[in-house]
Amino acid sequence: MSTPTTPKPRSRKRTVITAIVGLVIMVAVFAFLFPSFGSYGKAFQSILAMPWYWALVLVATGLLNIVVYPLTAMAAIPGLGYRAAFVDRQAGFLVSNVIPGGGAIAVGTQYAILSKYGVPPTKSAAAVSADAIWTYLMVLGTPALAVILLVMEGRSTAGFLTAAIVGALIVVVSVIGIWLMLRSTESARNLGRRLQPLVTWGYRLIRKQAPDITPTLVNFSIEAGDLMKSRWLPLTVTNAAAQITPFFVLIAALAALGVFPHPISPIEAFAAFSLALLLTSFPITPGGLGTVDAALVLLLTGFGIPNSTAVAADLIWRLVWFLPQILVGLGAFGLYSFDARRRRRKESAALQD
């Protein structure tokens, strides 16, 4: 059995430069690009004019998003308590969304947290890997689902079909690759040998040394194979719930602003949401701030929502979904520190006895 390796930390210089670039892009989008979509003043007027009961609905959807998010860890690690899953997932969300390209750092953070809560390294590696795979497949697969729903509703899919087809093809290829990896370690090793020339070519384009992917695929087969075979249903259900709850926040925001059933339908809103969220796969700015928002506003206005209303919906979505979860992530780190101190006191008391 192989021992999972924690990703190497990024250099401080690279992290700082990346953060500065991401911050510049984010400020440029909100300060210069957003005002061309619609007036911030009109957007805030729309928000203040919302009926009070919609504010309660928005609070409820925001809380639902926070409550559901840790369930993916519990699905991946049978017997894991909600408290440990909460700390693991919310802390990972904070790290991955505060630092541009912070996904690798978040993985290492989650390994460390789970180990402190008594989860064996192999189970931690399998859980984090499975969660990443399911998130990846759903982010790429939902645009294809959105286009299918638009066609069923008789709506135009112009401009979205290419993205949906590409996403669907990547999902199909990925599922086949995962199946090959899970068959056996030998299958994973053969797959690595076949994919290595493609990986080497890709890294050569960016003038970097290509890693040997075969050991990574073999480790994945060993660590996550049994988990994904035995827990695929709860993993799918919980990850789907975690991916869809931010959409509920957006739906509530749009409904509160009075855009249903015209000029946009819930299916069109889902298409805008899923296509905009694809940008989280390309983490230019922390949490996709600015880049995802610009795409979402453009897509919503493309479906016929007034510019200022689209800006207002995006601002509500960020304030109710993203900001609270970032603050909860900070609280998760505090809870982790509290649990670590309490554990050390118990261990010290046990030694004294």
Side-chain angles (χ1 to χ4, degrees), residues 96-122:
S96 63
N97 284 278
V98 166
I99 302 172
I105 301 174
V107 168
T109 301
Q110 289 180 272
Y111 282 152
I113 289 173
L114 289 172
S115 67
K116 292 298 183 183
Y117 281 102
V119 179
T122 50

Side-chain angles (χ1 to χ4, degrees), residues 5-10 15 69 87-115 124-125 127-129 131-132 283 326 333:
T5 57
T6 301
K8 294 180 180 179
R10 293 154 58 106
T15 299
Y69 197 65
V87 173
D88 165 56
R89 295 292 284 130
Q90 301 295 1
F93 181 90
L94 174 67
V95 172
S96 63
N97 284 278
V98 166
I99 302 172
I105 301 174
V107 168
T109 301
Q110 289 180 272
Y111 282 152
I113 289 173
L114 289 172
S115 67
S124 298
V128 174
S129 299
D131 179 72
I326 289 294
F333 272 109

Side-chain angles (χ1 to χ4, degrees), residues 22-52:
L23 183 62
V24 169
I25 295 173
M26 182 177 66
V27 170
V29 169
F30 281 105
F32 302 107
L33 185 59
F34 254 44
S36 68
F37 298 149
S39 166
Y40 278 123
K42 288 183 179 180
F44 280 111
Q45 286 176 7
S46 300
I47 292 173
L48 294 175
M50 287 189 316
W52 63 268

Side-chain angles (χ1 to χ4, degrees), residues 155 257-266 268 300-306 309:
R155 304 278 181 165
L257 295 169
V259 302
F260 293 136
H262 301 291
I264 193 173
S265 71
E268 288 172 320
L300 290 174
T301 54
F303 280 120
I305 292 182
T309 305

